[in-house]
Amino acid sequence: LLLRPSFVRTVHQPEIMFLAPRILHVGGGTVGSQLGEVVRGLGRRRPLVVTDEFLASKTDTVSKVVGVLGVKDGDVFSKTIPDPTTTSVQALVEAMGGYDCVVAVGGGSPMDTAKAASALYEFGGELREYKAPYYEKRELSKLPIIAIPTTAGTGSEVTKFTVVTDSDSGEKMLCIGNAFLPTAAVVDYELTLTAPKRLTADTGIDAICHAMEAFVSKKNNWYSDSMATSALAAAGASLRPACEGHLEGRAQMMRAATQAGLAFSNSSVTLIHGMSRPIGAHFHVPHGLSNAMLAPVVTEFSLPGARDRYADVAKALLGSPSTTADALPDALQQLNDDLAVPTMAQFGIDKQAFLDLVPQMAKEALASGSPNNNPVVPTQADIEHLYTRIYG
């Protein structure tokens, strides 16, 4: 008779499932050394490169990718836009015929566009049919995605999410599922070396929010916790140097952004992101920047629901074992000040126009589902009050 050790009967390990790209290369020079092999290893011969006009015409990033893949200029779709819409996604869907994989090069917008278009190309329908809380369980087979990020922040290269604005309603839709997870990612920090300070700061704070929200989310687990705390420690030490162009800072931020993406993709985001999407949709504030504007006040609101976890966030982010949760909102505000994050008024948002939309934005934030994962689940009145506070 074999007896199991007693700990097998007494220790409770909640079951989790975590998702990540099947292939993940991280490191300087990996586009040159690994991309071609990744495409060949997947048995693909006709890649479509998806990017934006700036990267295609004003940098050598896309030409490097094209050179590695050996494709023609006509195999580059560069019509993605900063905040993808269902209209811009459909334009890509119509260009996908004849290709057998997609190489998405850029920040979150080209990658989100590629994810949404690949799903629609294979499974059909309207993108609004895929928005949360719907979860698309099917996986891509016709046009698998190889993601190549050029910013250190969105984490889209390793997540099962895409965010697209409905061209008819103006709603910024979150779509979730296996169909939106890239098959492979090549994460090369050298592609971020020419990113300007503002972009580096905004995408870096986005990564910090991803990690922090994943850690305090009600869906947190041991896997997401490990990714989140490692990302927070790296970002806390590296974001300011990265913004000044330090090479090691750039490398560490790229690693942190990917880890933060793995964290929230396998946990969730919470109230910051829930409130951020409507601001981006209605006032065209870059996603990372709107997260930065929200983070100090929303974190202060959320502290009572997970004080111990926020203390761990503060310790990792600030690199101080004695730091408490109460120090975190001020630390986030100090980071904003150090990186010259503008207020909403400084960004150019009219106060009355903002206040008029507060009730609608609060409804949209709640409808996304993200606030339900927050340590303190807000009411619509809570969110309206937070929006009003944040404008100042």
Side-chain angles (χ1 to χ4, degrees):
L1 179 64
L2 295 177
L3 297 178
R4 294 187 302 169
S6 61
F7 71 82
V8 175
R9 295 193 298 272
T10 59
V11 174
H12 176 61
Q13 283 280 2
E15 179 182 334
I16 69 166
M17 179 186 76
F18 60 88
L19 295 174
R22 190 193 319 167
I23 302 166
L24 178 58
H25 290 283
V26 181
T30 47
V31 165
S33 65
Q34 303 296 334
L35 176 59
E37 183 58 35
V38 168
V39 174
R40 288 189 293 273
L42 293 174
R44 306 292 161 159
R45 293 181 175 83
R46 286 224 57 201
L48 172 64
V49 177
V50 174
T51 188
D52 59 42
E53 185 61 35
F54 178 82
L55 286 171
S57 63
K58 303 296 184 182
T59 76
D60 64 355
T61 298
V62 173
S63 62
K64 287 180 182 177
V65 171
V66 167
V68 169
L69 295 175
V71 300
K72 301 175 182 178
D73 289 344
D75 298 322
V76 176
F77 181 94
S78 60
K79 297 178 182 178
T80 68
I81 60 176
D83 287 306
T85 64
T86 50
T87 299
S88 69
V89 167
Q90 186 59 38
L92 175 55
V93 172
E94 293 169 4
M96 286 177 150
Y99 296 99
D100 63 7
C101 67
V102 171
V103 177
V105 183
S109 295
M111 286 190 281
D112 279 0
T113 302
K115 289 179 176 188
S118 290
L120 289 178
Y121 182 82
E122 182 156 350
F123 303 126
E126 299 289 335
L127 195 61
R128 64 178 63 94
E129 297 169 15
Y130 295 79
K131 74 177 182 179
Y134 178 77
Y135 186 102
E136 179 51 70
K137 295 180 180 179
R138 293 171 293 182
E139 298 181 6
L140 295 177
S141 59
K142 291 182 179 179
L143 290 173
I145 295 169
I146 299 101
I148 303 175
T150 59
T151 62
T154 71
S156 187
E157 69 275 6
V158 294
T159 73
K160 60 186 176 185
F161 305 110
T162 189
V163 178
V164 176
T165 299
D166 189 315
S167 297
D168 294 329
S169 69
E171 179 187 0
K172 205 163 191 175
M173 302 181 294
L174 172 66
C175 303
I176 310 173
N178 302 348
F180 305 112
L181 179 71
T183 300
V186 180
V187 183
D188 186 344
Y189 77 85
E190 292 179 4
L191 301 186
T192 71
L193 298 183
T194 58
K197 184 175 182 178
R198 179 76 271 143
L199 179 62
T200 302
D202 296 346
T203 54
I205 296 175
D206 190 21
I208 288 172
C209 289
H210 288 155
M212 175 172 65
E213 291 176 79
F215 191 78
V216 302
S217 167
K218 292 181 177 181
K219 294 184 177 181
N220 72 75
N221 55 73
W222 58 264
Y223 176 81
S224 61
D225 283 357
S226 66
M227 292 292 106
T229 51
S230 182
L232 287 164
S238 303
L239 179 52
R240 290 176 178 88
C243 288
E244 300 304 322
H246 294 186
L247 192 64
E248 184 60 22
R250 295 277 194 183
Q252 291 302 314
M253 278 307 303
M254 198 64 151
R255 189 257 289 180
T258 296
Q259 287 185 306
L262 288 167
F264 87 86
S265 187
N266 289 285
S267 173
S268 75
V269 288
T270 57
L271 183 54
I272 293 173
H273 270 74
M275 292 180 64
S276 179
R277 295 185 201 101
I279 294 174
H282 293 289
F283 297 101
H284 307 292
V285 180
H287 176 66
L289 185 58
S290 60
N291 284 341
M293 294 171 172
L294 290 159
V297 171
V298 173
T299 300
E300 181 183 43
F301 168 82
S302 305
L303 278 182
R307 190 167 292 277
D308 288 346
R309 283 199 160 254
Y310 277 114
D312 288 340
V313 169
K315 290 170 184 176
L317 184 64
L318 303 179
S320 173
S322 61
T323 302
T324 67
D326 291 324
L328 188 56
D330 287 343
L332 293 170
Q333 185 58 56
Q334 185 61 56
L335 181 63
N336 283 358
D337 294 343
D338 292 347
L339 300 182
V341 172
T343 65
M344 292 192 180
Q346 290 168 340
F347 185 79
I349 298 174
D350 178 76
K351 184 172 185 177
Q352 193 56 52
F354 184 84
L355 295 178
D356 287 346
L357 277 171
V358 160
Q360 180 179 341
M361 291 194 297
K363 289 180 182 178
E364 292 169 354
L366 283 172
S368 74
S370 299
N372 290 332
N373 301 318
N374 204 56
V376 176
V377 177
T379 64
Q380 176 157 332
D382 289 330
I383 296 178
E384 291 181 11
H385 177 67
L386 288 169
Y387 273 134
T388 304
R389 274 190 67 193
I390 288 156
Y391 192 98

